[in-house]
Amino acid sequence: MSVLIFAELDEGKLKKSSQEAIFYGSKVAGMLGTSATAVVIGAADQNELATAGRFGATKVLHAADAKLNEVNGMAYASVVAAAAQQEGAKVVVLAKSSLGDAMAARLAGKLKAGLAPNVIDLPDLSNGFRVKTSIYTGKAFAYNELKADVKILAIKKNTIAPEETDATASVEAFTPTVADSDFVLKVTNTEKATGDILLPEADLVVSAGRGLKGPENWGIVEDLAKALHAATACSKPVSDLDWRPHHEHVGQTGIKVSPNLYIAAGISGAIQHLAGVNSSKVIVVINKDPDAPFFKSADYGIVGDVFEVLPKLTKAVQALN
Amino acid sequence: MKILVCVTSVPDTTTKITFTDNNTKFNKAGVQFITGPYDDYALARAVELKEKLGASVTVFNVGEADAEPVIRKCLAIGADDAIRVNAEPIDAYFVAEQIAAVAKETPYDLILMGRESIDYNGGQVHGIVGELLGIPSISPVMKLDIDGTTAKMTREIEGGKEDIEAQLPLVLGCQEPIAEWKIPNMRGIMTARTKPLKIVQPAGQDSLTTVASYELPAPRGSVKMIPADEAETLITLLRTEAKVI
Ligand SMILES: Cc1cc2nc3c(=O)[nH]c(=O)nc-3n(C[C@H](O)[C@H](O)[C@H](O)COP(=O)(O)OP(=O)(O)OC[C@H]3O[C@@H](n4cnc5c(N)ncnc54)[C@H](O)[C@@H]3O)c2cc1C
Ligand SMILES: Cc1cc2nc3c(=O)[nH]c(=O)nc-3n(C[C@H](O)[C@H](O)[C@H](O)COP(=O)(O)OP(=O)(O)OC[C@H]3O[C@@H](n4cnc5c(N)ncnc54)[C@H](O)[C@@H]3O)c2cc1C
């Protein structure tokens, strides 16, 4: 009856968003009077796996079949479904990510489960199983009643602040059979920015728009991002114009982010842009136009020229470090 | 080749969202409904593939009669016919069951959807349909070419992208820049009026979730302005006041 959490690896380490998912899952387990089990898929060393205990998992099921080394949403969903069956899990928790989203949907189909996407709070069990989700791209919230026997919760970043203990989780090998039909996609090429902070995972984001005038000017954006250890992002026209790669585009039709800090430089603040960033904790807007709509949604604002303001901010951060 | 394009009729992206009936109903008054922007990308690519390879394109929607303007617009853009399942789309599983039922009756080589709806932002219908039909689902797809029975795609992943090859049939969730949004021309609008739009009753009634109530976000507090020539004080405030760095 345990609560099952899918914990995603990035280069053999538990992702930060997955640590949050484990902590969230352990809280739900506490509410249900049961324990939390994490499923981890792919190569990772035992000590790393045991750290799931620090965030509240009592047990880790580790599926390490070499066939699973390559990330594969369909096969991974089958592994988690098998784990849910073995553990008799009625609640499955995942952190939202491109992999997590793909798996959640396949899992919902397999387990005929009620899936709550974009969860932003712990469930309310006082009257059924109710959970708050973000809808209309952050413009509203819904209290979803999950009626199915099995419930899947896909949580957004910053849903809960994980607390760590020094507990360790026991690690068990998990070897379900996964059908060949889960291995029919052939990945022929992968391009991934290395060494950068992944935008959906980032606590701090420095984003820039058409006000930067051209891709050759992104140095001042990257400098500030580097000083802050932040990820970089951009508005839609900037990625449409190929000034920046598409995976940096935030908004209604791009990535939705919910970092602690979102700095927007030279972005006007169109409603479709705001939709992707409005769940950020703190928003800073830098724009030379005092009437730019973005100021209405900001916590801090500077009316000024990005070419002067951004380097000043970078210097101030460097001075602080 | 047969292509099914699943489209939603959703509030325009500039809509100010409000609720009625003690926060239990979405307030449709004065709201302009549009084709889901991601669904529009899927449709545009389907029409391009039709022009290039000679496919048939069927538009599919689960919705009530008020979704028909969106469906007609899709026909005007170049789809050949349409199916509307006459039901309120209660939840993603219910919608997926309707799509799977239609696809079991008439097999499609490609079932194209948007990466996510812009009302519930679930991003789940494609995965559930793939599972119900026992075929692969891939999302978000930003490039799609067909070579015989092989689909060659590019999918966005965190911090990058990957190229994927797979055999048809497939379910895909689409996003830009898979194609440019298309605007219907006069001839398209005229012919759309007479293209077949079949209305069918829902298969199955499984809804696994319901919304008990809605809520609007609390407004952000007022903005604190910092003079540009004192820009560095922002960094101090972010550390001492907002405590985010
Ligand atoms: C269906 C739909 C979906 C969309 N989805 C998205 C989306 O996901 N994400 C998105 O971002 N947009 C989206 N858009 C587009 C959106 O409507 C805006 O067009 C876009 O966000 C504008 O980008 P921008 O702010 O970079 O450019 P602009 O609107 O051109 O703004 C540039 C800003 O920079 C300021 N500026 C110029 N020079 C300087 C300077 N030297 N110093 C300081 N400030 C300066 C200007 O005052 C201006 O405010 C969508 C639109 C539609 C219709
Ligand atoms: C009055 C009203 C009330 C609703 N109440 C709820 C509710 O309580 N809970 C809930 O989950 N949903 C509700 N919806 C339905 C919601 O609008 C979606 O159609 C459905 O839930 C799928 O949402 P999703 O975000 O998970 O889809 P996603 O998985 O994000 O959609 C992905 C793709 O699937 C396709 N697709 C999705 N929906 C449809 C559709 N209806 N017809 C054809 N193709 C489609 C599109 O191509 C879309 O881009 C309601 C809709 C209406 C009109």
Side-chain angles (χ1 to χ4, degrees):
Chain A
M1 232 299 282
S2 63
V3 168
L4 200 68
I5 302 107
F6 168 69
E8 191 175 340
L9 293 171
D10 185 32
E11 293 174 7
K13 297 265 178 278
L14 291 179
K15 281 175 81 168
K16 209 170 152 212
S17 54
S18 290
Q19 296 172 338
E20 184 178 345
I22 294 168
F23 183 71
Y24 180 98
S26 74
K27 286 281 162 202
V28 179
M31 295 165 86
L32 292 167
T34 178
S35 60
T37 301
V39 192
V40 181
I41 306 173
D45 81 61
Q46 301 288 310
N47 291 336
E48 176 64 20
L49 294 170
T51 65
R54 299 222 304 254
F55 302 94
T58 43
K59 183 164 85 177
V60 172
L61 296 176
H62 184 211
D65 188 326
K67 272 210 305 196
L68 297 168
N69 274 344
E70 210 170 282
V71 171
N72 175 336
M74 287 194 286
Y76 282 24
S78 296
V79 171
V80 175
Q85 252 130 31
Q86 174 183 302
E87 300 292 307
K90 299 294 181 209
V91 177
V92 181
V93 177
L94 314 87
K96 276 188 73 67
S97 72
S98 44
L99 174 62
D101 289 349
M103 289 174 62
R106 298 288 306 197
L107 264 175
K110 278 180 204 294
L111 304 173
K112 204 169 174 182
L115 165 54
N118 302 305
V119 169
I120 56 165
D121 205 351
L122 284 169
D124 171 4
L125 306 182
S126 61
N127 179 15
F129 195 107
R130 233 170 239 191
V131 58
K132 187 176 183 180
T133 62
S134 144
I135 58 169
Y136 293 107
T137 330
K139 286 197 265 182
F141 304 114
Y143 290 90
N144 288 269
E145 178 75 44
L146 304 186
K147 300 181 293 184
D149 185 35
V150 179
K151 294 141 179 86
I152 302 176
L153 309 178
I155 67 166
K156 277 185 77 158
K157 184 182 159 61
N158 275 341
T159 288
I160 196 165
E163 291 153 23
E164 279 183 66
T165 64
D166 50 15
T168 54
S170 64
V171 180
E172 279 176 26
F174 184 55
T175 53
T177 40
V178 181
D180 289 342
S181 56
D182 281 340
F183 294 92
V184 292
L185 302 184
K186 210 166 88 195
V187 176
T188 54
N189 185 38
T190 305
E191 281 171 39
K192 202 170 167 176
T194 48
D196 289 353
I197 299 157
L198 289 176
L199 178 57
E201 290 267 302
D203 286 328
L204 310 174
V205 175
V206 180
S207 186
R210 204 145 51 179
L212 266 282
K213 309 280 190 290
E216 66 281 5
N217 297 326
W218 242 260
I220 54 171
V221 179
E222 284 168 339
D223 287 346
L224 178 59
K226 208 166 151 203
L228 284 168
H229 301 289
T232 49
C234 68
S235 66
K236 174 172 156 70
V238 166
S239 89
D240 286 350
L241 291 163
D242 258 336
W243 293 359
R244 299 297 293 172
H246 188 269
H247 63 255
E248 287 197 359
H249 155 200
V250 293
Q252 179 103 52
T253 48
I255 308 229
K256 284 86 187 165
V257 294
S258 44
N260 295 336
L261 173 64
Y262 183 82
I263 300 181
I267 303 177
S268 56
I271 192 162
Q272 297 94 352
H273 185 85
L274 295 178
V277 306
N278 53 11
S279 53
S280 308
K281 268 192 202 146
V282 173
I283 294 180
V284 171
V285 170
I286 305 155
N287 199 303
K288 69 172 184 194
D289 174 6
D291 295 324
F294 217 150
F295 284 120
K296 290 206 181 72
S297 307
D299 301 291
Y300 296 95
I302 298 177
V303 176
D305 183 348
V306 286
F307 297 99
E308 286 164 21
V309 174
L310 287 181
K312 267 196 199 164
L313 296 180
T314 306
K315 269 212 192 101
V317 175
Q318 284 162 346
L320 209 65
N321 295 343
Chain B
M1 187 164 69
K2 289 177 80 66
I3 307 176
L4 187 71
V5 183
C6 304
V7 301
T8 51
S9 168
V10 290
D12 180 88
T13 51
T14 58
T15 307
K16 189 168 186 309
I17 305 293
T18 56
F19 301 102
T20 59
D21 293 26
N22 202 14
N23 277 336
T24 56
K25 268 210 173 74
F26 173 68
N27 183 5
K28 285 189 183 180
V31 171
Q32 166 86 28
F33 282 81
I34 58 163
T35 315
Y38 293 112
D39 315 350
D40 237 354
Y41 286 120
L43 176 69
R45 188 60 190 146
V47 171
E48 287 175 2
L49 288 173
K50 169 183 155 175
E51 284 160 3
K52 217 167 104 191
L53 309 167
S56 75
V57 177
T58 301
V59 173
F60 179 92
N61 169 262
V62 181
E64 292 172 316
D66 58 6
E68 289 202 2
V70 157
I71 299 174
R72 287 285 171 207
K73 188 174 171 214
C74 295
L75 291 170
I77 284 170
D80 300 295
D81 58 357
I83 301 170
R84 177 170 70 82
V85 175
N86 188 28
E88 194 185 87
I90 334 167
D91 77 349
Y93 196 91
F94 173 78
V95 170
E97 262 189 334
Q98 309 311 317
I99 299 172
V102 165
K104 273 180 187 152
E105 211 165 282
T106 314
Y108 291 91
D109 302 288
L110 272 176
I111 302 180
L112 299 186
M113 305 188 188
R115 141 197 203 145
E116 66 184 43
S117 77
I118 65 158
D119 49 8
Y120 280 72
N121 312 109
Q124 45 178 324
V125 172
H126 26 77
I128 303 175
V129 169
E131 198 58 48
L132 295 178
L133 294 174
I135 59 176
S137 54
I138 305 165
S139 177
V141 175
M142 49 201 296
K143 191 163 178 279
L144 165 68
D145 285 300
I146 304 294
D147 183 359
T149 59
T150 306
K152 297 185 174 168
M153 296 154 284
T154 302
R155 159 165 65 186
E156 186 161 281
I157 52 173
E158 264 136 53
K161 52 191 178 180
E162 60 186 14
D163 297 333
I164 300 177
E165 284 184 24
Q167 294 301 304
L168 302 177
L170 295 170
V171 186
L172 309 181
C174 304
Q175 74 169 24
E176 62 178 12
I178 196 164
E180 298 263 346
W181 285 326
K182 291 192 190 316
I183 299 160
N185 59 27
M186 212 46 200
R187 202 176 140 264
I189 294 169
M190 297 305 285
T191 54
R193 290 189 188 149
T194 53
K195 284 182 180 172
L197 192 172
K198 196 164 90 181
I199 296 165
V200 300
Q201 291 312 308
Q205 279 299 346
D206 289 316
S207 86
L208 307 175
T209 65
T210 51
V211 174
S213 64
Y214 300 96
E215 192 179 283
L216 292 172
R220 247 173 221 281
S222 59
V223 52
K224 187 176 239 178
M225 297 305 291
I226 296 151
D229 50 13
E230 293 165 25
E232 50 290 335
T233 57
L234 170 70
I235 300 301
T236 319
L237 287 171
L238 290 176
R239 172 156 292 184
T240 56
E241 188 177 75
K243 299 193 170 63
V244 288
I245 63 171

